[in-house]
Amino acid sequence: NMVSRLSLQSKILLFLVPALLYMTATSAVLIYQSYQRSYTAKQLDLSTRYFDAISQLIHSVQKERGLSSNYLGKKTTRAELDSHRSVVDANVEILKNVLTTGVSENIREKTASTLAEHREIRNYIDTQENAIAGESAKRFSALMDKFIGLQVAKAREYSLDGLESRLISQSLFEIGKENAGRVRAFTTGVIAMDAAISLQDLDKITSARAGILNALDSPALNISDKTKRDLVDLRSSTNWKEMIRTLSKIDERASTGKFEEDSRQFLVTMTALIDDIAKSINYETTEITSIVKSVERSASLSYWLFLMLTAVAAGIIIFTAWRITREIVSMLTMVADDL
C-alpha cells in the first residue's frame, strides 16, 4: 500500500489536502463576493456624489427661476440675475466633473441633454423680446422634473443593503422642495396682484401644496430617525403654519382677491421652509455617503484578507503536493531498483 509507506508527516499533509482545497474554493467565493460588494459600494458612492451635485444644482436653479421671472417682470436687475447665474454655473461645473468619474454613458447623455435645455431657457430669456415670466417659469419647472428623474435613474443603477432606496427617498424630498418652490413663485405673484384668480390658477397652487404634503408624508420615505424628527418639527413650525394659513386664505378669497397678505413676507416664509427641506436632504446625503464609504472599506479589507488566505492555502497545497509527489517518486525508484 503506497499510502502506508508514506512518512507520518506526509500522511498528515495528505489528509489536509481536501480541507485546504475546500478552504481555497470557499475563499475564492468570498473573494468574489467581497470584490462585488466593494465595487457596488464604489458605484453607490458615485451615485451619492451625482445625487448631491444634482441636488445643489436644483437648489440654485430654483432661485434662478425666481430671479428670471422677476427680471422679466422688471423687478430684478440684470446684474442681480447674472450674479446668481455665476453660482448656478459653478454648480454645473461640479456636476460635469462628477460625470467624468465613471458615470454610465446613458446617464451622461441624459444629463448633458438636460443641461442643454437649461441653456435654451436662458437663451429664451436673453434673446426673446416677448419672453414672459410665466413661460420661463414653466420651462424651469419642467427642467426640475427632469433633474429629479435623473437622480432616481442613477440611484436605481446599483443596489446595496437598501441604501439605494434611501437615495430615492431624497428624490421625494426634492419633489416636495420643488413644489414648495412653485408655491413660493406663483403665490407670491398672486398676493402681489391682490386680485381674483381663475380656477386654473387656484388649481396650480392647490396641486403644488398637495405635492409638498404628499412628498413629506409619503410612506415610501426611507430616512434616518433624526430626519423624521426634523420633519415633525418642520410641520409644527411657525413658517409651516403660516404657509398653510396663507394658502387657505387664498383658497377662500380666490374669487374676490383682497388677500391682505404681504408678498415679501410670504417669500421669506417659503424660502425658510425650502432651506429647511434642503438641510434635511443634505444631512441624509451626508449620512448615506458615510455608510457607503464604511461598507466600501469593510468590503475592501475582506477582499484582501480572503485573497491572502487563499494565497497561503494555495501555497500549502502546492508545497504538500510537491512533498508527497517527491516521496512517492523516491519510493517508486527504490522499488524499481529492487526489481
Side-chain angles (χ1 to χ4, degrees), residues 7-299:
S7 65
L8 178 60
Q9 184 181 25
S10 293
K11 288 178 181 177
I12 294 173
L13 290 173
L14 180 61
F15 285 110
L16 282 177
V17 168
L20 289 170
L21 285 172
Y22 174 79
M23 186 178 76
T24 302
T26 302
S27 295
V29 172
L30 293 173
I31 286 172
Y32 175 76
Q33 291 176 341
S34 297
Y35 171 79
Q36 284 294 104
R37 188 169 174 81
S38 177
Y39 175 79
T40 302
K42 288 179 180 178
Q43 293 303 313
L44 197 57
D45 180 53
L46 177 58
S47 295
T48 305
R49 286 190 283 130
Y50 177 85
F51 185 98
D52 185 55
I54 288 280
S55 184
Q56 299 305 319
L57 179 58
I58 288 174
H59 196 60
S60 59
V61 173
Q62 284 172 332
K63 292 182 179 180
E64 182 183 356
R65 173 178 56 192
L67 286 170
S68 297
S69 294
N70 287 339
Y71 168 71
L72 292 174
K74 303 187 184 304
K75 297 178 182 178
T76 295
T77 65
R78 180 69 196 209
E80 188 176 359
L81 175 60
D82 287 342
S83 176
H84 184 71
R85 279 184 174 183
S86 66
V87 175
V88 177
D89 291 341
N91 285 328
V92 168
E93 290 305 312
I94 291 173
L95 176 59
K96 286 181 177 179
N97 288 335
V98 173
L99 293 176
T100 65
T101 59
V103 174
S104 66
E105 184 177 352
N106 178 49
I107 294 295
R108 264 201 321 272
E109 289 178 353
K110 288 183 177 179
T111 304
S113 175
T114 306
L115 291 176
E117 288 185 35
H118 176 232
R119 292 193 295 272
E120 289 173 5
I121 296 172
R122 283 188 175 180
N123 186 60
Y124 167 77
I125 294 168
D126 295 343
T127 63
Q128 295 295 320
E129 293 183 3
N130 60 343
I132 57 175
E135 177 61 22
S136 73
K138 180 181 177 181
R139 294 188 183 188
F140 270 119
S141 296
L143 183 71
M144 302 302 172
D145 291 339
K146 291 187 177 182
F147 278 137
I148 294 171
L150 286 170
Q151 288 180 315
V152 174
K154 186 71 183 79
R156 285 178 172 164
E157 284 188 331
Y158 294 92
S159 176
L160 181 67
D161 299 343
L163 291 171
E164 71 286 351
S165 69
R166 287 191 63 177
L167 268 183
I168 294 172
S169 286
Q170 302 321 298
S171 295
L172 287 174
F173 272 125
E174 289 289 2
I175 291 171
K177 185 161 75 72
E178 168 57 15
N179 277 288
R182 293 176 185 182
V183 167
R184 175 178 62 182
F186 197 73
T187 308
T188 300
V190 168
I191 293 173
M193 292 181 65
D194 202 28
I197 59 175
S198 66
L199 289 176
Q200 183 180 7
D201 288 342
L202 179 61
D203 184 60
K204 290 180 181 179
I205 297 175
T206 303
S207 296
R209 172 183 172 177
I212 302 171
L213 298 174
N214 291 338
L216 300 187
D217 289 333
S218 173
L221 276 178
N222 182 3
I223 54 179
S224 66
D225 290 338
K226 179 186 180 303
T227 300
K228 288 178 183 177
R229 292 192 297 270
D230 288 344
L231 286 182
V232 172
D233 292 341
L234 177 69
R235 287 191 290 266
S236 61
S237 68
T238 301
N239 287 329
W240 182 271
K241 293 176 182 177
E242 185 64 15
M243 176 191 73
I244 297 298
R245 185 195 65 78
T246 303
L247 295 182
S248 296
K249 181 184 283 190
I250 290 174
D251 186 37
E252 293 169 0
R253 302 186 183 185
S255 61
T256 61
K258 300 180 181 179
F259 302 114
E260 298 178 350
E261 295 290 336
D262 185 340
S263 61
R264 292 190 178 185
Q265 182 55 50
F266 185 76
L267 178 66
V268 171
T269 297
M270 291 306 301
T271 299
L273 280 175
I274 291 169
D275 288 343
D276 285 340
I277 297 173
K279 288 177 184 177
S280 291
I281 294 173
N282 292 336
Y283 175 82
E284 285 292 305
T285 304
T286 299
E287 184 173 80
I288 294 169
T289 300
S290 177
I291 294 172
V292 168
K293 288 188 179 298
S294 177
V295 171
E296 182 183 345
R297 286 193 298 269
S298 176

